[in-house]
Amino acid sequence: MAVWDDLVGQGPVVEQLTAAARDADAYVTAAAAGEAPQVSGSAMTHAWLFTGPPGSGRSTAARAFAAALQCVSPDRALGSTPGCGFCDGCHTALIGTHADVEVVRTDLLSIGVKQTREQVRRAQLSPAVGRWQVIVLEDADRLTEGAANVLLKAVEEPAPRTVWLLCTPSVEDVLPTIRSRCRLLALRTPSVAAVAEVLVRRDGVPPELAAGAAQAARGHIGRARRLATDERARARREAVLRMPRRVGDVGGGLKAAQELIDAATEDAKQLAEELDEKETEELRAALGGGDGKRMPRGTAGAMKELEDRHKRRATRVQRDALDLALTDLTGFYRDVLAHQFGTSLATAGGSTEQTVAEAAAASRPEQTLRRIEAVLACREALDRNVSPLLAVEAMAMTLRSP
């Protein structure tokens, strides 16, 4: 299986990355043979910016490219394209154990100067065992202003065999000075059929369930996989989509708002607990307190730092879960609006045709548009750190207004 097989519906992007991997391989091969590497006209460059909506596969594309850059398959000498997916270079890069591929992600709200300086320092080193030094920054949009300026210096003056792979939702999420020094790759939301096919092929999901999950997730691959494999996630989503029918009066609207917050909190709690427990056990074992042993003296500070990190991550995970619930609500009203205009657009968001038809018959298109605007305004309020309950209550009052 080639490294590109998990890139769903991204044909043009795969073509560009394949060409770049081929030129990168020729560059390193020529340098190793003592020849002058071909630089002019090369499809390869030292910095890439992967953009695209959530679920489009930005980080998947970056990891696949990192693996192709480290490919050591002997078939390359016969004209095969780097990125076989089977050799040691590809395999270790994909599973995250390659010494020269660093994947940087954050569970917190931002990436600070200290962490960025560490990656810049690493970027100045020559590859230890691989062909390139590759740094994948999955959350480049979460760089603080100071961290972005630190990164800019490294991108302006790159080491000869270092490659930066930055992932952001859009080009506006990074400094203009950084994006002007990167080659842009714009990924698109994959089709529902393509996502369903991947769920069936890779995860063994029954075709009917895969199609429903892909439709509900609107092409978001990770979200579709979770809906297809986690019954609790599907139940919480259906609870969110019942909100429009429960805001008929003030009391019902406030109760629905609280239930929406509770559903998002429960969703976030499930995700955070899985990560927290694993990280806590790993740290206890590393500090000598595994298997129920008493923690050695002097380790309380490290455990406290991990607890604080878990609290900060919980804040971000809860925001993400609530934003996802609001996205589902937007999808519901989009379906209502499509029905009101009599389009043949397929119902997304997992809402039944009858529910959409009832909501469409009970309102006018201009009212539906106002409700979509109310959901978007709620998301913007959350970005400004407005209290989640207050923001959702204000949205609920708008949803119930005629």
Side-chain angles (χ1 to χ4, degrees), residues 8 23 68 127 135 204 208 213 215 267 298 313 361 380:
V8 182
D23 286 353
I135 301 177
E208 185 176 351
Q215 187 72 40
D267 201 21
R313 179 167 64 193
E380 292 177 359

Side-chain angles (χ1 to χ4, degrees), residues 55-85:
S56 58
R58 299 185 303 264
S59 60
T60 301
R63 286 167 176 258
F65 186 39
L69 292 176
Q70 305 293 5
C71 183
V72 292
S73 169
D75 292 341
R76 293 175 298 113
L78 303 176
S80 177
T81 301
C84 65

Side-chain angles (χ1 to χ4, degrees), residues 143-144 148 178 183 199 327 330 365 377 397:
L143 289 167
T144 64
I178 291 180
R183 184 165 297 168
L199 293 178
T327 300
T330 305
M397 293 301 98

Side-chain angles (χ1 to χ4, degrees), residues 198-263:
V198 168
L199 293 178
V200 173
R201 170 174 56 84
R202 186 174 58 188
D203 301 297
V205 177
E208 185 176 351
L209 179 57
Q215 187 72 40
R218 303 176 180 279
H220 190 303
I221 303 171
R223 172 70 166 157
R225 182 180 297 112
R226 188 165 181 227
L227 288 174
T229 58
D230 189 341
E231 186 175 352
R232 288 179 297 177
R234 294 196 296 271
R236 282 193 290 269
R237 183 175 178 282
E238 289 301 322
V240 169
L241 294 179
R242 286 195 295 269
M243 183 178 182
R245 292 181 290 177
R246 305 185 59 190
V247 293
D249 54 52
V250 174
L254 296 179
K255 184 177 180 180
Q258 182 63 63
E259 291 179 353
L260 180 61
I261 295 293
D262 292 342

